[in-house]
Amino acid sequence: MKLHRFPKKIRERLVPEPFGTMRYQCLGCEESFGIERLLYTCPACGSVLMLRHEDEESLVRVGGEVWRDLFDYRRMLNHPPLKGIFRYYEFIAPVIPLEEIVYLGEGHTPLVEANSTLQELAGASFYFKNDGLNPSASFKDRGMACALSYLAYIAEKEHLESPLAICASTGDTSAAAALYASYLGPLLKSAVLLPKGKVTPQQLSQPLGSGAKVLEIQGLFDDCMKVVEALADQYHVALLNSKNSWRILGQESFSFEIAQDFDYEVGDKAVILPIGNAGNITAVMSGFLKFHRAGIIERLPRIIGVQSSHADPVYRYYLEPEPHRRRFRPVSVKPSVAQAAMIGNPVSMPRVIRLVEDYNEAAGAQRVFVVQVSEQEVMDSMILANRNGHVVCTQGGESLAGLKEAVRRGILARGETAVLDSTAHMLKFASFQEMYFEDRFPPEFEVTPDPGLRNAPLEVRPPGLQRYPQPGSPLEGEELADFVEKMAEEIARILGLKRKG
Ligand SMILES: *Cc1c(COP(=O)(O)O)cnc(C)c1O
Ligand SMILES: [Zn+2]
């Protein structure tokens, strides 16, 4: 819709200008730092950081109703920088000028209601929010859109010479980083570190296709993470892992969208998502908290994090009910089909601890929960979801397995509707589906396929058919007619079709 057609009181806010200042806030020593430099950890104490807008009060003063109207009207605005996650510009990073915002089609992913078969199976009403429909096919694009927009802005402002962006990845971070960096062309180069053999072929093909330098390392993700951290400490590189708090800001858009898609009534919703490095659950809590503080939503939804028993440090931490007796201990992970969440020492754990406290306090009751599921349930759930019209990845399967567990444990309240994060597209994790269908899981995965859920292609070879068409030697006349007839007959037999008339 053209600008002049929006109501006058909306028009003046519709295309925002940068305002105020943002600062890094240390979660350890509470020191804060300016954003002229890209920081990952506190220069004073080494803890992780969060970004805060210094003038949050001004957002609160605007009032919930104005914001709700503004975001609903912005849905109709055709202005590229505001078409993606930056529809919520004021709540993400309102210091980046609109001209610097990179938009590759991220965000506003569909909420797809589960059919009645699947809802009955899960014992609850629920939707998948399909973040596999982002440009690089995972939610990581949300964070990269913000981090790379900031990087482009700062590179321009500080006249940086073609900075190198670098990340360690379980697959999807590198795909997203490489994609956004490639769009920024000569301004930026990117390199990604992957644990050799621990990402799927599809995930490996993505940064290669985007032209990033792909470095494979013998080891697990947690080891790669240590190496990029050392690089970021000692060399001039821009770290794009979720230690980079600009990514967290972008990922908050997931919560903003859920709020908007349910007309800002989310008090009766439960958002369920897998936890790996814990950046995403941090962002989801932080996003809802911001909307809550600004009066955009009245009540906070329940948040349920899910971990596989093969990589469950956050689950273990919260097993201890007494907050002052909780001690975080990294775990050593076992092979997991939820490979993107196969992390034993989540970088964002201090953020999670802080935000869970803030969240429960703002809600006035416990609203954040972590459940544990088995590899078997994750895999069965992924296959089941996709047999009912979804396109979820193994981590999306983990969300569904988590929903079932939450129902079993009575964590989901009666009448509550769940929103499950399918964090990536099923095609990225097709190799796990293949192992399931072919019953080829190595024993350490502890997955045995349900025979009723297996599937395989069947080659049709009608008896008595001698010759098949080949490139360069097609069948003709009699021979072609015979081929078609025999094939049709055999297929009809396999499918048990009844003849007409
Ligand atoms: C990164 C990722 C996760 C885990 O998210 P964290 O922020 O690391 O907790 C889950 N699923 C997919 C598909 C991912 O790419
Ligand atoms: Zn500090």
Side-chain angles (χ1 to χ4, degrees), residues 25-33 41-49:
Q25 175 84 50
C26 174
L27 294 188
C29 68
E30 307 290 333
E31 193 67 51
S32 79
F33 306 90
T41 48
C42 173
C45 81
S47 284
V48 286
L49 306 166

Side-chain angles (χ1 to χ4, degrees), residues 369-420:
F369 301 81
V370 182
V371 299
Q372 186 208 46
V373 296
S374 69
E375 290 290 312
Q376 181 73 48
E377 287 169 283
V378 172
M379 217 38 234
D380 290 344
S381 300
M382 170 199 183
I383 304 283
L384 258 173
N386 294 345
R387 288 172 77 101
N388 283 278
H390 299 280
V391 283
V392 313
C393 61
T394 44
Q395 296 69 221
E398 190 171 11
S399 294
L400 177 52
L403 169 63
K404 293 186 209 154
E405 177 65 8
V407 170
R408 265 195 296 275
R409 285 183 44 193
I411 292 174
L412 202 78
R414 250 185 148 29
E416 244 170 30
T417 296
V419 179
L420 277 48

Side-chain angles (χ1 to χ4, degrees), residues 137-140 170-173 203 242 247 251 274-281 340-341 343 393 395-396 398 422-425 428-429:
S138 87
F139 76 82
K140 299 290 200 300
T170 53
D172 296 327
T173 301
Q203 289 172 319
S242 52
R247 272 194 47 202
Q251 288 171 208
I275 306 178
N277 225 358
N280 209 29
I281 193 165
I343 294 172
C393 61
Q395 296 69 221
E398 190 171 11
S422 174
T423 46
H425 199 285
K428 284 201 186 216
F429 294 86

Side-chain angles (χ1 to χ4, degrees), residues 164-169 173-175 177-179 181-182 188-194 203-217 228 231:
L164 180 75
I166 192 165
C167 66
S169 177
T173 301
S174 60
L179 179 68
S182 72
L188 201 74
K189 289 202 276 293
S190 72
V192 306
L193 267 67
L194 299 173
Q203 289 172 319
L204 178 59
S205 78
Q206 290 186 292
L208 288 173
S210 297
K213 192 68 156 171
V214 177
L215 306 165
E216 296 190 305
I217 291 188
V228 285
L231 284 169

Side-chain angles (χ1 to χ4, degrees), residues 50 91 248-256 283-284 286-287 290:
M50 292 282 283
F91 289 82
I248 303 291
L249 292 175
Q251 288 171 208
E252 290 174 5
S253 60
F254 185 80
S255 300
F256 302 156
V284 167
S286 174
K290 279 188 189 172

